[in-house]
PDB file of all heavy atoms in Angstrom:
ATOM      1  N   GLU L   4      20.854  20.792 -19.234  1.00 45.00           N
ATOM      2  CA  GLU L   4      22.220  21.314 -19.191  1.00 45.00           C
ATOM      3  C   GLU L   4      23.201  20.252 -18.712  1.00 45.00           C
ATOM      4  O   GLU L   4      24.292  20.094 -19.258  1.00 45.00           O
ATOM      5  CB  GLU L   4      22.271  22.544 -18.268  1.00 45.00           C
ATOM      6  CG  GLU L   4      21.506  23.755 -18.812  1.00 45.00           C
ATOM      7  CD  GLU L   4      20.052  23.754 -18.333  1.00 45.00           C
ATOM      8  OE1 GLU L   4      19.536  22.659 -18.050  1.00 45.00           O
ATOM      9  OE2 GLU L   4      19.461  24.844 -18.277  1.00 45.00           O
ATOM     10  N   SER L   5      22.809  19.501 -17.645  1.00 45.00           N
ATOM     11  CA  SER L   5      23.690  18.466 -17.114  1.00 45.00           C
ATOM     12  C   SER L   5      23.870  17.338 -18.108  1.00 45.00           C
ATOM     13  O   SER L   5      24.953  16.776 -18.250  1.00 45.00           O
ATOM     14  CB  SER L   5      23.115  17.914 -15.805  1.00 45.00           C
ATOM     15  OG  SER L   5      23.027  18.939 -14.829  1.00 45.00           O
ATOM     16  N   LEU L   6      22.785  17.010 -18.830  1.00 40.00           N
ATOM     17  CA  LEU L   6      22.877  15.957 -19.833  1.00 40.00           C
ATOM     18  C   LEU L   6      23.865  16.345 -20.922  1.00 40.00           C
ATOM     19  O   LEU L   6      24.693  15.551 -21.347  1.00 40.00           O
ATOM     20  CB  LEU L   6      21.493  15.710 -20.443  1.00 40.00           C
ATOM     21  CG  LEU L   6      21.439  14.730 -21.631  1.00 40.00           C
ATOM     22  CD1 LEU L   6      21.941  13.356 -21.201  1.00 40.00           C
ATOM     23  CD2 LEU L   6      20.040  14.652 -22.195  1.00 40.00           C
ATOM     24  N   ILE L   7      23.791  17.579 -21.372  1.00 42.00           N
ATOM     25  CA  ILE L   7      24.711  18.048 -22.402  1.00 42.00           C
ATOM     26  C   ILE L   7      26.152  17.972 -21.912  1.00 42.00           C
ATOM     27  O   ILE L   7      27.043  17.482 -22.602  1.00 42.00           O
ATOM     28  CB  ILE L   7      24.388  19.500 -22.818  1.00 42.00           C
ATOM     29  CG1 ILE L   7      23.023  19.531 -23.511  1.00 42.00           C
ATOM     30  CG2 ILE L   7      25.451  20.063 -23.736  1.00 42.00           C
ATOM     31  CD1 ILE L   7      22.534  20.909 -23.810  1.00 42.00           C
ATOM     32  N   ALA L   8      26.385  18.456 -20.702  1.00 42.00           N
ATOM     33  CA  ALA L   8      27.741  18.430 -20.150  1.00 42.00           C
ATOM     34  C   ALA L   8      28.251  17.006 -20.055  1.00 42.00           C
ATOM     35  O   ALA L   8      29.411  16.720 -20.383  1.00 42.00           O
ATOM     36  CB  ALA L   8      27.755  19.083 -18.773  1.00 42.00           C
ATOM     37  N   SER L   9      27.376  16.096 -19.629  1.00 42.00           N
ATOM     38  CA  SER L   9      27.773  14.694 -19.507  1.00 42.00           C
ATOM     39  C   SER L   9      28.140  14.124 -20.868  1.00 42.00           C
ATOM     40  O   SER L   9      29.148  13.440 -21.022  1.00 42.00           O
ATOM     41  CB  SER L   9      26.626  13.885 -18.895  1.00 42.00           C
ATOM     42  OG  SER L   9      26.936  12.505 -18.902  1.00 42.00           O
ATOM     43  N   GLN L  10      27.330  14.450 -21.863  1.00 42.00           N
ATOM     44  CA  GLN L  10      27.605  13.941 -23.206  1.00 42.00           C
ATOM     45  C   GLN L  10      28.919  14.496 -23.721  1.00 42.00           C
ATOM     46  O   GLN L  10      29.728  13.789 -24.327  1.00 42.00           O
ATOM     47  CB  GLN L  10      26.465  14.339 -24.161  1.00 42.00           C
ATOM     48  CG  GLN L  10      25.154  13.637 -23.903  1.00 42.00           C
ATOM     49  CD  GLN L  10      25.188  12.188 -24.343  1.00 42.00           C
ATOM     50  OE1 GLN L  10      26.037  11.800 -25.138  1.00 42.00           O
ATOM     51  NE2 GLN L  10      24.301  11.382 -23.798  1.00 42.00           N
ATOM     52  N   LEU L  11      29.138  15.772 -23.501  1.00 43.00           N
ATOM     53  CA  LEU L  11      30.363  16.398 -23.989  1.00 43.00           C
ATOM     54  C   LEU L  11      31.594  15.794 -23.346  1.00 43.00           C
ATOM     55  O   LEU L  11      32.580  15.491 -24.004  1.00 43.00           O
ATOM     56  CB  LEU L  11      30.321  17.911 -23.709  1.00 43.00           C
ATOM     57  CG  LEU L  11      29.436  18.730 -24.643  1.00 43.00           C
ATOM     58  CD1 LEU L  11      29.250  20.118 -24.073  1.00 43.00           C
ATOM     59  CD2 LEU L  11      30.049  18.786 -26.023  1.00 43.00           C
ATOM     60  N   LEU L  12      31.544  15.613 -22.033  1.00 41.00           N
ATOM     61  CA  LEU L  12      32.710  15.143 -21.311  1.00 41.00           C
ATOM     62  C   LEU L  12      32.992  13.668 -21.568  1.00 41.00           C
ATOM     63  O   LEU L  12      34.134  13.242 -21.585  1.00 41.00           O
ATOM     64  CB  LEU L  12      32.517  15.392 -19.813  1.00 41.00           C
ATOM     65  CG  LEU L  12      32.488  16.874 -19.413  1.00 41.00           C
ATOM     66  CD1 LEU L  12      32.085  17.006 -17.954  1.00 41.00           C
ATOM     67  CD2 LEU L  12      33.852  17.521 -19.645  1.00 41.00           C
ATOM     68  N   ASN L  13      31.943  12.895 -21.787  1.00 43.00           N
ATOM     69  CA  ASN L  13      32.139  11.457 -21.943  1.00 43.00           C
ATOM     70  C   ASN L  13      32.279  11.012 -23.388  1.00 43.00           C
ATOM     71  O   ASN L  13      33.026  10.095 -23.687  1.00 43.00           O
ATOM     72  CB  ASN L  13      30.969  10.699 -21.297  1.00 43.00           C
ATOM     73  CG  ASN L  13      30.922  10.906 -19.798  1.00 43.00           C
ATOM     74  OD1 ASN L  13      31.959  11.059 -19.167  1.00 43.00           O
ATOM     75  ND2 ASN L  13      29.721  10.923 -19.230  1.00 43.00           N
TER      76      ASN L  13
END
Side-chain angles (χ1 to χ4, degrees):
E4 292 91 334
S5 298
L6 174 60
I7 294 173
S9 174
Q10 291 287 341
L11 283 168
L12 293 172
N13 295 327

